[in-house]
Amino acid sequence: MGRQVDVPGPVPDRDAVLLSHCDGSRPLDGFTAADRGTIGRWRRHGLLLMAPPRTAGHAVAEAPVIVSPHPDDAALALGGTVARQGGRFLDVFSVETWTRDPYYGRRPATTRRLLLAEEAVAARVLGARVELLGFVDAADRDLRRDRFFADPAWSDGSAREEPELLEAVTERLAPLLDGAGLVYVPLGVGGHVDHLACREAVLELARGGRLGGAQVAFYEDQPYSLFSAAEETAKRLGARLAEAGLGALRPRLLPVDETAALTKCEALGAYRIQVRKGIIQRIRRHDMRLAQGAQGAAAPAPPAAERVWLMYS
């Protein structure tokens, strides 16, 4: 008669367990040396993204609000600032399917889902919160399907062509911006109509005295700022705002330290359907040039910077 042998149950695959812990919210130094080696190989193959170590100053509760026309716009423009300070993304036109990739172009439902998944991963890496407002992207609206760039970018004309949409976006943003201390809004560089609609909605709230004491700052839209002059848009928009009695615009560079710069690049790696790797590299070089071009700084220039225009009454 043979002996009874205890057969152990299935053992979880070690790599699968490790991978389940790599959700973008845990810094690399939170893993063992052996696991870091495995994770490093995965990262080189583009399989995952890692969050950086969090600093004591990373206070999401007091973080600014970023009005992001689409999933990815806030991270592209202000990812370094958010990595340092935290942030709350209000993704306005979050129902989108646009892509140049034929594979995803033939699968709009899949594309819509994956674009939001990319945003969720990037936000975890940056330490940001995301709220989806659910408006339909210009490329999927009948009126805008073939013309979703407007000229001039500093005008409110394109937003006024869709009055019901502008009103709906304005009213949706109003309670979400109530009590905010600092609100970042797209400057509108490049003239994408969804970016202009977001900007004009916030200006509608400002005109109506519905922003309380919030400071409004206009960020230079990326990657459009790589191809169009943000300074020109800011100059023309500033003149328009001054004429309307809303105040003047003043440029300000937001310093980005080395950790935050690397974190931004890590987060942007999540965007694979619409954002090419070459664009991410160009944005990083742009941020570096902004820092190097800072004049009159008493301290050494930071590794990178992001640019906004503050609105002063």
Side-chain angles (χ1 to χ4, degrees), residues 36-53:
R36 288 199 297 271
T38 301
I39 291 170
R41 290 194 296 274
W42 291 344
R43 291 179 73 196
R44 286 192 292 275
H45 288 287
L47 297 178
L48 52 82
L49 302 168
M50 298 300 299

Side-chain angles (χ1 to χ4, degrees), residues 1-16:
M1 186 175 181
R3 292 183 301 147
Q4 183 175 353
V5 178
D6 292 327
V7 179
V11 178
D13 181 83
R14 182 176 178 279
D15 283 355

Side-chain angles (χ1 to χ4, degrees), residues 131-154:
E131 296 181 48
L132 305 176
L133 274 58
F135 289 92
V136 177
D137 174 56
D140 289 324
R141 299 198 300 272
D142 289 339
L143 177 65
R144 298 297 189 190
R145 198 175 303 275
D146 298 317
R147 55 183 191 98
F148 46 88
F149 288 94
D151 186 28
W154 47 85

Side-chain angles (χ1 to χ4, degrees), residues 4-280:
Q4 183 175 353
V5 178
D6 292 327
V7 179
V11 178
D13 181 83
R14 182 176 178 279
D15 283 355
V17 173
L18 176 59
L19 186 60
S20 71
H21 294 155
C22 299
D23 63 354
S25 63
R26 187 174 177 182
L28 186 60
D29 59 5
F31 295 87
T32 67
D35 286 345
R36 288 199 297 271
T38 301
I39 291 170
R41 290 194 296 274
W42 291 344
R43 291 179 73 196
R44 286 192 292 275
H45 288 287
L47 297 178
L48 52 82
L49 302 168
M50 298 300 299
R54 297 297 180 208
T55 64
H58 194 275
V60 176
E62 301 176 359
V65 179
I66 300 101
V67 178
S68 184
H70 310 98
D72 77 12
D73 286 316
L76 286 167
L78 292 173
T81 298
V82 173
R84 295 186 66 208
Q85 302 177 1
R88 181 160 61 102
F89 296 171
L90 303 181
D91 289 357
V92 179
F93 296 94
S94 56
V95 179
E96 58 172 344
T97 64
W98 181 88
T99 175
R100 286 195 177 98
D101 189 312
Y103 175 86
Y104 292 108
R106 294 190 295 270
R107 297 163 174 81
T110 298
T111 300
R112 184 183 301 119
R113 176 176 58 82
L114 290 178
L115 288 171
L116 296 181
E118 290 177 348
E119 175 80 332
V121 171
R124 282 201 301 270
V125 172
L126 294 172
R129 292 178 292 153
V130 179
E131 296 181 48
L132 305 176
L133 274 58
F135 289 92
V136 177
D137 174 56
D140 289 324
R141 299 198 300 272
D142 289 339
L143 177 65
R144 298 297 189 190
R145 198 175 303 275
D146 298 317
R147 55 183 191 98
F148 46 88
F149 288 94
D151 186 28
W154 47 85
S155 167
D156 65 348
S158 65
R160 300 295 172 187
E161 292 178 4
E162 298 179 278
E164 293 181 357
L165 177 65
L166 177 59
E167 181 180 1
V169 171
T170 303
E171 294 307 313
R172 184 75 175 88
L173 285 173
L176 297 174
L177 300 181
D178 185 33
L182 175 59
V183 179
Y184 288 116
V185 186
L187 179 63
V189 183
H192 192 297
V193 295
D194 290 347
H195 291 232
L196 304 187
C198 289
R199 183 190 72 198
E200 295 305 316
V202 174
L203 290 176
E204 284 286 325
L205 294 174
R207 272 189 288 267
R210 300 171 67 186
L211 286 179
Q215 171 74 69
V216 176
F218 300 86
Y219 59 84
E220 56 176 329
D221 318 59
Q222 294 290 4
Y224 305 113
S225 185
L226 302 176
F227 312 104
S228 299
E231 297 88 346
E232 178 69 9
T233 301
K235 177 183 176 181
R236 298 299 189 95
L237 177 63
R240 190 189 125 209
L241 298 185
E243 185 177 343
L246 287 175
L249 295 185
R250 299 179 189 172
R252 175 177 292 180
L253 290 182
L254 307 177
V256 176
D257 60 32
E258 186 65 35
T259 298
L262 292 174
T263 302
K264 177 177 180 176
C265 286
E266 187 86 354
L268 296 188
Y271 302 115
R272 304 184 182 189
I273 295 177
Q274 294 182 344
V275 183
R276 305 297 184 187
K277 287 184 178 180
I279 289 294
I280 296 174

